[in-house]
Amino acid sequence: MGTFVIGTDAFVVAGVLPSLTEELRVDATAVGLLITLFAVTYAVASPVLGALTSQWERRRLLLVALAVFAVANLLAAITPNYGFMLFARVLAGIGAAMFTPAATGTAAMLVSAEVRGRALALVGAGLTIATVIGVPLATLVGNTVGFRAAFWAITAASVVVAAVIAMRLPAVTMPGGTTLRQRLDIARLPGVLSTLAVSTCAFVGGFTVYNYIAPLFDDQLGADPRSITLLLLAFGVGGAIGNFVGGSVADRIGAFRTVLTGLVLASGGLLLIALVGDTWAGAVVSIMLWGVGGWMQVPAQQARLVALAGPAGPLAISLNASAMYLGIGLAGAVGGLVIGTAGLGWLAPFGASMGALGLVITLVFYPRAERRAAAAATDKA
């Protein structure tokens, strides 16, 4: 429930962009900065706050995080101007950065090793479900009544989640704290940094388009704000399918091939947006293909990081979340730059090029990391 609310808030700004530009009297690029601030705040704050709160009792940490998050969305709902909204989005990013890694770690602590994978998948599914249900619903509400209604709804949902956690979650104490240095040192393990770089490239590519999906398809299709809800739903359904099959496909053909497949599908979908996205059928098919590929590689990346980091796998996964949100944040800024210099029509081709960069990194560095890992294992033997 918590990751569902967090995910809805993380992605909803793109859906209510028309309402935000109208009521706050700013352009689409300025709204993109709201996305950038939330995502970059998450990316930077997550490892720092994770280290500072590593010895906190988990229920207390989750409740504090949700309190910060709820206040942030309350401020967004009552914001009098754009500057105030910037502050609210930074605060929301801090709350999200505290909550999501703690929720994942708590789920792992609550269950036995035999069902840990399913518990982590259940928590992570909240983000995927947000793209299928939460974001389209909040977008419909926001573009019908105004963006403030969407943030009021997220605030109320945060309070409900906090109440459930307070009543139902037992006290959970982590076995030991970790310093920021220990968390960042994980990135120095062979193959980890290149894996994180691929995640960042993939999310820069996809969210360069997603963050500006409303003005892009208004330009290509004449889609009104309510019609954007259907396009966001198509992306969410594609993402849910990709996330669902990504893990099982990775088990069968390996993380390397699964990541390659996901990047090819996502980049192909983005190119199709530029080629056939001026028709409704072409737009929906392209967006679903992009959603399938974009989210398909996420569980494969997580599986690869667990294999590379060993006992530090959960911390490596948290770094991957930071890499993903860094990509979302950069996409907001870079997408605005693309619009300002080349125009809306170049968003999708640029996104596809970032996916291609992720492919190159995968092809060059993944096999090298595998060879280094095999050599290290031979030396130990």
Side-chain angles (χ1 to χ4, degrees):
M1 290 173 63
T3 52
F4 169 79
V5 175
I6 297 285
T8 299
D9 184 66
F11 303 139
V12 74
V13 169
V16 297
L17 189 148
S19 176
L20 281 164
T21 56
E22 180 181 351
E23 292 195 43
L24 296 182
R25 299 180 181 179
V26 294
D27 59 19
T29 302
V31 175
L33 182 58
L34 297 175
I35 299 169
T36 296
L37 280 177
F38 177 95
V40 172
T41 298
Y42 183 106
V44 174
S46 183
V48 176
L49 292 173
L52 291 175
T53 62
S54 62
Q55 294 183 309
W56 284 28
E57 191 273 315
R58 297 293 96 177
R59 181 173 57 189
R60 175 191 172 199
L61 175 57
L62 291 171
L63 291 174
V64 169
L66 283 171
V68 172
F69 185 75
V71 168
N73 281 280
L74 173 63
L75 294 177
I78 64 173
T79 182
N81 53 53
Y82 176 72
F84 199 83
M85 188 66 165
L86 289 173
F87 170 75
R89 295 310 289 164
V90 170
L91 192 61
I94 291 172
M98 293 174 67
F99 183 88
T100 306
T104 304
T106 302
M109 292 289 294
L110 285 170
V111 298
S112 62
E114 292 76 18
V115 294
R116 189 163 293 151
R118 276 176 281 173
L120 293 173
L122 181 59
V123 174
L127 187 64
T128 308
I129 296 170
T131 64
V132 180
I133 300 173
V135 175
L137 184 59
T139 298
L140 181 62
V141 171
N143 287 324
T144 302
V145 187
F147 77 87
R148 298 177 193 277
F151 287 109
W152 275 118
I154 292 170
T155 303
S158 303
V159 173
V160 171
V161 173
V164 174
I165 287 175
M167 291 186 293
R168 300 291 298 167
L169 186 69
V172 178
T173 303
M174 299 299 284
T178 55
T179 65
L180 180 60
R181 175 70 178 272
Q182 289 172 321
R183 288 170 177 263
L184 296 180
D185 278 349
I186 295 169
R188 299 171 61 183
L189 295 173
V192 170
L193 190 59
S194 60
T195 302
L196 298 178
V198 171
S199 291
T200 300
C201 287
F203 275 74
V204 168
F207 280 83
T208 295
V209 173
Y210 187 93
N211 291 341
Y212 297 98
I213 193 169
L216 174 61
F217 283 99
D218 177 37
D219 181 65
Q220 292 195 179
L221 279 174
D224 59 32
R226 293 190 182 185
S227 300
I228 296 300
T229 302
L230 299 176
L231 299 178
L232 291 171
L233 179 61
F235 176 81
V237 170
I241 294 170
N243 189 69
F244 179 76
V245 304
S248 57
V249 170
D251 288 339
R252 288 198 293 269
I253 68 174
F256 174 67
R257 292 180 179 177
T258 303
V259 171
L260 285 178
T261 302
L263 290 171
V264 168
L265 290 176
S267 297
L270 290 169
L271 279 178
L272 283 175
I273 288 175
L275 296 174
V276 299
D278 55 351
T279 67
W280 275 102
V284 170
V285 170
S286 303
I287 287 173
M288 288 194 69
L289 185 63
W290 154 41
V292 170
W295 288 102
M296 180 181 182
Q297 51 89 29
V298 173
Q301 290 281 77
Q302 292 174 336
R304 176 174 170 78
L305 286 169
V306 169
L308 291 170
L315 295 179
I317 290 176
S318 72
L319 287 180
N320 190 57
S322 289
M324 290 161 53
Y325 273 96
L326 178 62
I328 294 170
L330 291 174
V334 173
L337 184 62
V338 171
I339 292 172
T341 57
L344 285 163
W346 284 95
L347 284 175
F350 175 82
S353 72
M354 290 303 300
L357 177 58
L359 275 171
V360 171
I361 296 172
T362 302
L363 290 168
V364 172
F365 290 98
Y366 277 34
R368 183 182 302 178
E370 297 296 336
R371 290 193 296 269
R372 290 177 63 183
T378 302
D379 291 342
K380 287 182 180 180

